Amino acid sequence: MRQSREAKAVTHQAIVAAAARQFRERGIEGTSVGDVMRAANRTHGGFYRHFDSKEDLLVAALGRAFAEMLEVVDRGLSEVPAEQALGSFMRSYTAPERVEDVAGSCPVAALSNDVLRSTEVVQAEFGRGVRAMIRSLAEHLDGPEAEREARAARTFAMAAGAVMIARASDPETAERVLRAVRDEAASLASPPSRTMA
Amino acid sequence: MRQSREAKAVTHQAIVAAAARQFRERGIEGTSVGDVMRAANRTHGGFYRHFDSKEDLLVAALGRAFAEMLEVVDRGLSEVPAEQALGSFMRSYTAPERVEDVAGSCPVAALSNDVLRSTEVVQAEFGRGVRAMIRSLAEHLDGPEAEREARAARTFAMAAGAVMIARASDPETAERVLRAVRDEAASLASPPSRTMA
DNA sequence: AAATTAAGATGATATACGTCATCTTATGTA
DNA sequence: TACATAAGATGACGTATATCATCTTAATTT
């Protein structure tokens, strides 16, 4: 049964939303087109009216997941003074609710290893998201332009790394690693802070 | 045709070695028992004389991959003064050859997202490897005990995070992120260094 | 209002994978 | 030396998946 343009757009968004969650939750290979369509309350056959392939869907899902994440980060940092931005980011990125909510979390922490093994098209979209993330973080800092981006990139790498390690480890190990980077967050509260050394 | 105990042990090691590389290269779902056995120059049927399941093999492969990595790290840091240990580790962990060699690299950078979605048994083994890694790094530092481990954990998280992001991104984005953390490595050369702030 | 188009459902195809029963044959044991 | 055992090979089973042809039916278009 044919549906209207608007109905199709709604379906399209429902598919992307379901995919964005499932890819993060179950990984790329662990996510089937059929399951995504079921989660979107559709049958699997209609899928190819919206996307050329699973890869095509993945690109759209990544775009959406990064957009969600950027909004959360931007909102979270908008009220925070520049000196506390990195510490604040680190604390919220490594917060227990965030670590546990894989399906709704940062695509970098949920899908890096999957995207590594994916196509260039997917990696290009991923890279776009990473740059947007770093830029957004850097905009909330002060100091010389080049330095800000480097600091943002380092903090982002540390936060994402810690969350990935924590999620893949047993609870005690996870807690140890998260505690270590949260302590860093505390010292990042007042600049110029000192870190790993 | 039946084989001797020694021959079986050789086969066992060949399977684990092949698996350790394939899991890192292709991920957990991307690695099939059949492919592993083929890479080990065996047929798929003999597999279950050595392991109860694919998960069982994964645990063994993780153990081996971590052991390899620990040896490399230990050897690399044995000649380096304590003040330069973190910087040296960071530089070698993010070196281009290391980043490119997924199959022979650190299990954390290659498999975190896969292990996240695996069983508790696998996560326990992964956690063991992570702790061993952090302990090994911490042993090459100086300063109070508790502090050393935290610094080691932070540096490890940052290095692994950067490599995972770099591998999943397009080349330009990858280079930007790696450069940012390598600059950190330079400042880590002389303690007490300052970092992200 | 008639003709055309396309959204979504159904069903099928081709492929791949984990696992195991069974067979062969050489090893280790008595 | 003869028997029991088990390593590895072969082949099969059940299941799951991406993709697409086809069908139905409602929405556009003329």
Side-chain angles (χ1 to χ4, degrees):
Chain A
M1 61 308 208
R2 182 168 178 176
Q3 290 201 313
S4 72
R5 294 201 199 300
E6 300 88 50
K8 183 179 185 182
V10 170
T11 293
H12 192 92
Q13 290 310 314
I15 297 173
V16 174
R21 291 189 63 84
Q22 287 216 11
F23 277 127
R24 282 178 285 183
E25 172 111 29
R26 309 184 192 175
I28 297 178
E29 302 232 358
T31 297
S32 79
V33 171
D35 280 350
V36 169
M37 293 301 280
R38 210 167 300 125
N41 285 316
R42 306 292 194 287
T43 54
H44 68 275
F47 176 78
Y48 291 89
R49 300 282 176 186
H50 294 274
F51 302 96
D52 288 343
S53 64
K54 183 181 175 180
E55 181 192 2
D56 197 18
L57 171 65
L58 175 57
V59 170
L62 275 180
R64 188 192 176 98
F66 271 113
E68 281 172 15
M69 193 65 200
L70 281 169
E71 205 189 334
V72 169
V73 169
D74 241 23
R75 185 146 23 108
L77 292 183
S78 62
E79 309 268 310
V80 174
E83 323 89 61
Q84 293 176 20
L86 289 182
S88 169
F89 170 79
M90 181 72 97
R91 251 191 315 278
S92 84
Y93 198 98
T94 61
E97 326 88 67
R98 203 64 87 69
V99 172
E100 280 157 28
D101 178 28
V102 180
S105 77
C106 176
V108 171
L111 289 171
S112 286
N113 290 154
D114 288 87
V115 173
L116 184 188
R117 299 177 184 101
S118 190
T119 64
E120 281 189 21
V121 180
V122 175
Q123 293 175 356
E125 180 71 21
F126 191 89
R128 231 188 314 282
V130 167
R131 286 197 305 276
M133 204 81 162
I134 292 173
R135 187 176 333 113
S136 174
L137 230 186
E139 274 166 10
H140 291 279
L141 306 182
D142 49 15
E145 169 63 27
E147 253 312 293
R148 284 190 290 162
E149 195 189 289
R151 283 191 288 148
R154 287 195 283 263
T155 305
F156 184 45
M158 186 160 145
V163 169
M164 286 190 267
I165 292 171
R167 284 175 175 167
S169 303
D170 57 286
E172 307 92 77
T173 307
E175 204 38 57
R176 269 215 260 177
V177 173
L178 289 175
R179 189 159 40 229
V181 303
R182 286 190 199 119
D183 288 351
E184 168 86 355
S187 77
L188 280 170
S190 53
S193 73
R194 102 177 6 175
T195 18
M196 299 181 296
Chain B
M1 61 309 207
R2 183 168 177 179
Q3 289 202 312
S4 72
R5 293 200 199 303
E6 301 89 51
K8 184 180 185 183
V10 170
T11 294
H12 192 93
Q13 290 309 315
I15 297 173
V16 174
R21 290 188 63 83
Q22 287 216 9
F23 277 127
R24 282 178 284 183
E25 172 110 29
R26 310 185 191 174
I28 297 178
E29 303 232 358
T31 297
S32 79
V33 171
D35 280 349
V36 169
M37 293 301 278
R38 210 168 300 124
N41 285 315
R42 306 293 193 287
T43 53
H44 68 276
F47 177 77
Y48 290 89
R49 301 282 174 184
H50 293 274
F51 301 96
D52 288 343
S53 64
K54 182 181 175 179
E55 181 193 3
D56 197 18
L57 172 65
L58 174 57
V59 170
L62 275 180
R64 187 191 178 100
F66 271 114
E68 281 172 16
M69 193 65 201
L70 281 169
E71 205 188 334
V72 170
V73 168
D74 242 23
R75 187 146 21 109
L77 292 183
S78 62
E79 310 268 310
V80 174
E83 323 89 60
Q84 294 177 21
L86 289 183
S88 170
F89 170 79
M90 181 71 97
R91 251 190 315 276
S92 85
Y93 198 98
T94 61
E97 325 88 69
R98 202 64 85 69
V99 173
E100 280 158 28
D101 178 26
V102 179
S105 77
C106 177
V108 171
L111 289 171
S112 286
N113 289 153
D114 287 87
V115 173
L116 183 189
R117 299 174 184 102
S118 190
T119 65
E120 281 189 21
V121 180
V122 175
Q123 293 174 357
E125 180 71 22
F126 190 88
R128 229 188 317 280
V130 167
R131 286 197 305 277
M133 204 81 163
I134 292 173
R135 186 175 335 112
S136 175
L137 230 187
E139 274 167 10
H140 291 280
L141 306 182
D142 49 15
E145 168 64 27
E147 254 309 294
R148 283 189 290 162
E149 196 190 290
R151 283 190 288 149
R154 287 194 283 263
T155 305
F156 184 44
M158 186 160 147
V163 169
M164 286 190 268
I165 293 171
R167 283 176 176 167
S169 302
D170 57 287
E172 305 93 76
T173 307
E175 205 38 56
R176 268 215 261 179
V177 173
L178 290 176
R179 191 160 37 230
V181 302
R182 286 190 200 119
D183 288 352
E184 169 84 354
S187 76
L188 280 170
S190 53
S193 74
R194 105 175 1 173
T195 18
M196 299 181 296

